[in-house]
Amino acid sequence: MVRIILLFALCFSASLFSQQVSGTVTDEEKSPLPAVLVFNMKTEQKTYTNLNGEFTIEASVNSELRFIRQGFERRSKVIRERDFTNPLIVSILRIPGEIEEVKIAYKPIGDLNKDLKNYGDTKSVKKLKGETAKYIRSESTEEVLAPKSGEFVQPVGQGFFIGGPNSQWDDVDFMQFLIENLGNDFFTDDLQLNPSEIQPFIYYVFQNFERREVLFRGICTQYDLSRFIKEAISKLEVYRKNLPNVPPKKKKNK
């Protein structure tokens, strides 16, 4: 009788307390997906899948996990007792791109004179091309060359570089990788940035972010991805205050 009670108590406690749930997230073609946000709706704990699409997160029975990545449909999974011993295999589907309907304003009737009048640029397009050509030929001024709101301005200072001549990537490649793999939701939802601030903020973080090996090899590991996420979170406040991104002071050995 004591053994039965003890067994019941152990099962009951396992259902109450959090345990680690592991698994893999793939697309519809069974390819592993990195940088998928795994969010526990009950505890609000979150993690990201690694380059092999693998993740581990704390959860309890009946916890709801949500899997989120830009360009994919959101997927939910309610945790059962068996999920603590059997790794999860979660597949999320890509969002199909919408193709705009092409409307034909004029159908040829076989009359060459009338057909020619309805082909080529419209009046508005001709006007735009004329203004563009005039702009290109005109002299540049300080007002024209000044950066617009939200545009990236090349920072000046020590520690900012775009990669050596033998590097596989430059900073633009690395930036695109971060946006594609972390998703815009990481920057707009987690960091509360405007879409126009994403690229300037990444370059701001780059100023004192060690990435020589990433650029040289053209490979961003899960460790490098985690380093960037940590650095981005730590630099968010100073970026909002428009302060310079200075490197941390080195402690002097006594």
Side-chain angles (χ1 to χ4, degrees):
M1 183 67 180
V2 175
R3 292 182 178 179
I4 296 175
I5 295 174
L6 181 60
L7 180 62
F8 176 78
L10 290 173
C11 294
F12 181 72
S13 61
S15 64
L16 289 178
F17 298 102
S18 296
Q19 303 178 62
Q20 285 192 337
V21 177
S22 299
T24 304
V25 181
T26 67
D27 59 15
E28 60 266 34
E29 297 176 354
K30 306 303 180 185
S31 299
L33 287 175
V36 176
L37 172 64
V38 184
F39 187 79
N40 189 326
M41 297 294 294
K42 186 176 182 180
T43 64
E44 296 187 355
Q45 182 183 4
K46 59 187 174 183
T47 187
Y48 291 88
T49 57
N50 62 19
L51 295 178
N52 296 319
E54 300 166 340
F55 70 92
T56 298
I57 193 171
E58 295 286 334
S60 56
V61 175
N62 294 327
S63 292
E64 180 185 353
L65 300 183
R66 287 194 179 178
F67 302 86
I68 305 168
R69 180 173 166 178
Q70 186 182 25
F72 290 81
E73 296 180 359
R74 296 193 175 191
R75 176 78 184 274
S76 296
K77 168 68 178 177
V78 177
I79 300 302
R80 304 303 182 196
E81 188 67 39
R82 62 179 179 272
D83 297 324
F84 295 113
T85 55
N86 299 321
L88 297 174
I89 304 295
V90 180
S91 179
I92 57 178
L93 304 177
R94 296 181 185 274
I95 299 175
E98 297 182 358
I99 302 176
E100 296 183 0
E101 181 182 359
V102 178
K103 297 181 179 181
I104 301 176
Y106 176 80
K107 294 182 179 180
I109 60 176
D111 188 322
L112 186 59
N113 293 327
K114 292 184 178 180
D115 290 344
L116 287 175
K117 293 179 180 179
N118 289 278
Y119 282 96
D121 298 333
T122 62
K123 291 182 178 179
S124 58
V125 173
K126 289 179 179 178
K127 181 180 179 181
L128 178 60
K129 285 184 175 181
E131 291 176 350
T132 303
K134 182 179 179 181
Y135 171 78
I136 293 173
R137 291 193 300 268
S138 62
E139 295 183 1
S140 296
T141 62
E142 293 184 0
E143 294 180 355
V144 172
L145 296 176
K148 306 297 186 296
S149 177
E151 289 183 345
F152 167 65
V153 179
Q154 176 72 40
V156 177
Q158 188 177 4
F160 190 89
F161 58 94
I162 62 171
N166 297 322
S167 297
Q168 299 294 320
W169 279 358
D170 58 21
D171 279 337
V172 176
D173 297 319
F174 191 18
M175 177 196 68
Q176 291 175 343
F177 175 90
L178 292 171
I179 294 175
E180 291 173 3
N181 286 271
L182 293 178
N184 283 341
D185 290 345
F186 169 74
F187 297 97
T188 57
D189 295 350
D190 294 353
L191 302 183
Q192 297 294 307
L193 294 171
N194 295 323
S196 62
E197 292 180 305
I198 294 177
Q199 291 187 16
F201 177 72
I202 291 175
Y203 281 116
Y204 180 84
V205 175
F206 277 178
Q207 291 181 42
N208 289 298
F209 182 77
E210 179 54 47
R211 59 197 183 282
R212 288 183 176 86
E213 284 295 318
V214 175
L215 300 182
F216 179 76
R217 300 182 183 278
I219 298 174
C220 178
T221 65
Q222 179 63 26
Y223 171 73
D224 295 318
L225 204 60
S226 299
R227 283 198 307 116
F228 177 84
I229 293 173
K230 182 179 179 180
E231 185 74 2
I233 294 173
S234 68
K235 295 297 182 181
L236 185 61
E237 287 302 317
V238 290
Y239 173 79
R240 292 190 187 282
K241 295 177 181 178
N242 199 27
L243 298 175
N245 183 2
V246 296
K249 295 182 179 179
K250 295 183 179 179
K251 296 182 178 180
K252 296 182 179 180
N253 295 327
K254 295 182 179 180

